[in-house]
Amino acid sequence: MSVLTLAAMYVILYLVISLPNVQDALRSKAQDELSKLLEVPLTVSRIEFSPFNRIELFNVTIPDQEGDTLLYAKKIGAGISFEELILNNRICLNNIQLFGMEANITRTTPTGETNLQFIINALQPQEPQEPKAVNLRINSAMIRRSKVSYNVLSEPHLPDGRFDINHISINDLSTTINIRALSKDTLNVHIKRFSCQEQSGISIKRLTLQAQANTKHASISDCVIQLPNTYIEPRVEANISKVENYKNLLDSTYFYVNIDKTQVTLSDIASLVPEFYRFDTPITISCNAEGLLKDFTAHNISLGMANKSIALDIEAAIQNIQNYKELNISKSHIKLRTKRRGAQLIKQNITITDSILQNILSNIEEIDFNSKVSGSLSNMKAQISLLSGIGDFHTNLTLTGDSSLSYMACNGYIKSNGIDFVKILGNTGTIGTVAFDADINAATRNRNVTQAGFNGIISRLDFNQYSYKDIVVDAQLNKNRYSGKLELLDPNGKIDLEGYVQLSPTDTHANVVATCQNIDLTALNLVPQAKGNKLSFNLNANLAGSQLDKANGYVHIDNIFYGNGFSPLLRESVRNAENGR
């Protein structure tokens, strides 16, 4: 058959199917066959054919199984095989375009089936059987100027402006998808274009990607995600040749992720996190990660804002991520640097109502933070160092625990050359700068603190606008028993205190011995009216009972001296609380 003869046949065929009566008959057949395929009364108002392999259906309505409108489209265009239509009386469609579509997807409860499920079931590949009158082999799809809504009817609505996973409404949906291969063991899909606007305010300006997979390899390339002020360009590859089933997916999938040329503006997702609605400063992000899904290494995770006014760098290697009891961190290094403008950017971009956090951001100035963490959740080591405008903090801790994590313990040291609590609390109140160097320990069981200890020196403690020096502290908590020693060696007074207090609803004990010498109440800003007089005394207390205010025992205070060192104003001994008085 010559090319000229074949062309003539197609022209005659097109002229025949262009006749109104023929088109109406074909419309009726398409309507009936699609209704049989979906088992709902689908309707089509008219049908048109275009040379030489295209059909267009107008005003298509598909109801759900309850009779409500599931899908309406002003026009559906599709590629059609005229050969199958004429010779075998079958409708074979190979691509589809939808214009002005409105889809209304619902489900009665969060776990119930959607009203779309019957269409999914009808279009699923079936076992070989008698050829159907309608054959859908979609290799490309295009959607323009469309709307899609999804509602879980049993769930309430969130306030306007919040993304509601149970009530989604998408407008201005446009997409172009090429399906080059889609089978049990092969995938090749190219999303050439995707854009939409969700009612909460999320706007996807552009989404493109190439997804390919076979039994050995999977990859996502040419991926671009663009929101109004966000641009993300990730690359993902995975070796799945050793994956036998989903059970060994984590053990057998080796992946590689690269994120570069990325800028994220958090206000673009403010409907997901309302606190971000003012966060208009872009964040640059880069990342390289590779390994098994359960054992991976992240190299050079980097986040930056405003020419490194805030810079965060992370390196980590994590194993057994699928089981927190066996989780192991072989390497984790976090570095955070902020310039003075960095804290200002945080205040500018995030709504902060907590007064203490506001004060910290106002006074923290520059930050230099370093941390190194390694080990498992039951035996972990952590080194942390922080330098900032409100002070410095350093620690080296070891965390241990049992396999169930019901018991956890830590020990190590903490040190600071000075933390300015005035800058934290925002006033000139009772607490100012505190500096310390101490060994610490603590333990919890079932999230209740059962033991804690602090053994070291508080080299500076500003209290009531006086700076105390060199306070030696050895304090211990063991269940409900508080014990320890305190020694103050200050130019304006010396205190030596030792004892314990055990609190119990039925058995309370207290035994305290204290010696106070030359306490200058005026210099310490405790009693301004003392006019240079100093106080000295010894205290010995031993009490027992159901409560301290109903205890039996004694409180003995002797060698009381109050005066200016030359002529005492008071010298006396006091004994009280014997036999419950």
Side-chain angles (χ1 to χ4, degrees), residues 429-433 461-468 524-526:
T430 55
I431 301 294
T433 298
L461 171 61
D462 292 353
F463 179 79
N464 206 24
Q465 300 185 28
Y466 179 81
S467 185
Y468 292 84
L524 298 179
N525 295 326
L526 297 176

Side-chain angles (χ1 to χ4, degrees), residues 279 281 304-311 336-350 352 360-362 364-367:
F279 208 118
T281 302
M305 290 175 59
N307 296 322
K308 300 292 184 177
S309 291
I310 299 178
L336 174 65
R337 306 283 188 276
T338 73
K339 301 176 182 178
R340 183 168 299 186
R341 185 172 175 234
Q344 296 173 349
L345 284 173
I346 294 175
K347 289 182 64 178
Q348 170 187 321
N349 286 282
I350 300 179
I352 298 173
I360 291 174
L361 292 175
S362 298
I364 201 166
E365 299 177 352
E366 297 184 357
I367 297 175

Side-chain angles (χ1 to χ4, degrees), residues 222-278:
D222 301 325
C223 181
V224 173
I225 304 169
Q226 187 173 356
L227 307 183
N229 299 291
T230 294
Y231 184 91
I232 305 173
E233 192 173 337
R235 183 165 66 91
V236 181
E237 294 187 16
N239 184 332
I240 55 176
S241 59
K242 297 182 180 180
V243 176
E244 298 176 356
N245 52 58
Y246 73 92
K247 293 182 179 180
N248 74 334
L249 183 67
L250 295 176
D251 298 332
S252 306
T253 301
Y254 191 92
F255 75 95
Y256 172 80
V257 176
N258 173 264
I259 298 176
D260 201 5
K261 301 177 182 178
T262 292
Q263 176 179 287
V264 174
T265 303
L266 296 179
S267 59
D268 286 344
I269 58 170
S271 61
L272 300 175
V273 184
E275 290 77 10
F276 290 161
Y277 84 95
R278 291 172 48 199

Side-chain angles (χ1 to χ4, degrees), residues 128-372:
Q129 54 184 307
E130 191 73 20
K132 293 184 177 182
V134 177
N135 181 24
L136 299 179
R137 293 183 178 273
I138 307 299
N139 54 35
S140 68
M142 182 176 72
I143 301 174
R144 294 290 185 270
R145 303 183 300 277
S146 295
K147 301 178 181 180
V148 176
S149 66
Y150 166 79
N151 288 283
V152 180
L153 303 179
S154 64
E155 299 305 298
H157 289 259
L158 292 181
D160 291 344
R162 293 288 305 276
F163 179 76
D164 190 342
I165 191 66
N166 294 310
H167 302 281
I168 300 172
S169 180
I170 296 175
N171 298 307
D172 300 326
L173 172 62
S174 294
T175 186
T176 301
I177 302 173
N178 289 340
I179 306 172
R180 297 169 182 171
L182 181 59
S183 64
K184 182 179 179 180
D185 54 10
T186 304
L187 170 70
N188 190 337
V189 175
H190 185 195
I191 300 178
K192 300 178 67 174
R193 171 185 177 184
F194 180 90
S195 62
C196 70
Q197 177 85 30
E198 209 278 328
Q199 65 177 353
S200 63
I202 293 179
S203 177
I204 300 177
K205 297 295 185 182
R206 177 188 175 199
L207 169 63
T208 64
L209 64 85
Q210 177 83 41
Q212 295 177 292
N214 52 39
T215 56
K216 295 183 178 181
H217 184 265
S219 68
I220 296 176
S221 59
D222 301 325
C223 181
V224 173
I225 304 169
Q226 187 173 356
L227 307 183
N229 299 291
T230 294
Y231 184 91
I232 305 173
E233 192 173 337
R235 183 165 66 91
V236 181
E237 294 187 16
N239 184 332
I240 55 176
S241 59
K242 297 182 180 180
V243 176
E244 298 176 356
N245 52 58
Y246 73 92
K247 293 182 179 180
N248 74 334
L249 183 67
L250 295 176
D251 298 332
S252 306
T253 301
Y254 191 92
F255 75 95
Y256 172 80
V257 176
N258 173 264
I259 298 176
D260 201 5
K261 301 177 182 178
T262 292
Q263 176 179 287
V264 174
T265 303
L266 296 179
S267 59
D268 286 344
I269 58 170
S271 61
L272 300 175
V273 184
E275 290 77 10
F276 290 161
Y277 84 95
R278 291 172 48 199
F279 208 118
D280 296 324
T281 302
I283 302 172
T284 58
I285 300 175
S286 62
C287 170
N288 287 290
E290 61 179 324
L292 297 174
L293 290 178
K294 74 178 187 71
D295 305 326
F296 67 87
T297 300
H299 310 282
N300 305 321
I301 299 176
S302 177
L303 289 81
M305 290 175 59
N307 296 322
K308 300 292 184 177
S309 291
I310 299 178
L312 175 65
D313 297 293
I314 302 173
E315 291 188 11
I318 303 175
Q319 297 81 42
N320 299 318
I321 196 172
Q322 80 282 8
N323 186 343
Y324 76 91
K325 292 182 180 180
E326 299 178 2
L327 178 70
N328 183 71
I329 302 174
S330 57
K331 178 181 68 173
S332 175
H333 189 190
I334 300 175
K335 294 189 294 183
L336 174 65
R337 306 283 188 276
T338 73
K339 301 176 182 178
R340 183 168 299 186
R341 185 172 175 234
Q344 296 173 349
L345 284 173
I346 294 175
K347 289 182 64 178
Q348 170 187 321
N349 286 282
I350 300 179
T351 301
I352 298 173
T353 58
D354 184 82
S355 60
I356 292 179
L357 187 54
Q358 288 177 341
N359 294 328
I360 291 174
L361 292 175
S362 298
N363 297 295
I364 201 166
E365 299 177 352
E366 297 184 357
I367 297 175
D368 187 345
F369 173 86
N370 273 280
S371 76
K372 294 182 179 180

Side-chain angles (χ1 to χ4, degrees), residues 30-44 59-71 118:
Q31 181 175 275
D32 292 344
E33 294 301 337
L34 288 171
S35 296
K36 289 179 183 178
L37 174 67
L38 302 178
E39 298 181 346
V40 292
L42 178 146
T43 61
V44 180
N59 299 319
V60 179
T61 302
I62 303 176
D64 62 20
Q65 293 179 312
E66 300 297 324
D68 297 321
T69 299
L70 171 59
L71 183 145
F118 74 99

Side-chain angles (χ1 to χ4, degrees), residues 379-382 395-400 407-414 438-443 451 453:
N379 188 5
M380 183 174 294
K381 297 183 182 300
T395 185
N396 192 332
L397 297 174
T398 298
L399 307 175
T400 58
Y407 171 79
M408 295 293 293
C410 78
N411 62 81
Y413 78 84
I414 57 174
D439 295 325
I440 63 168
N441 61 82
Q451 181 266 328

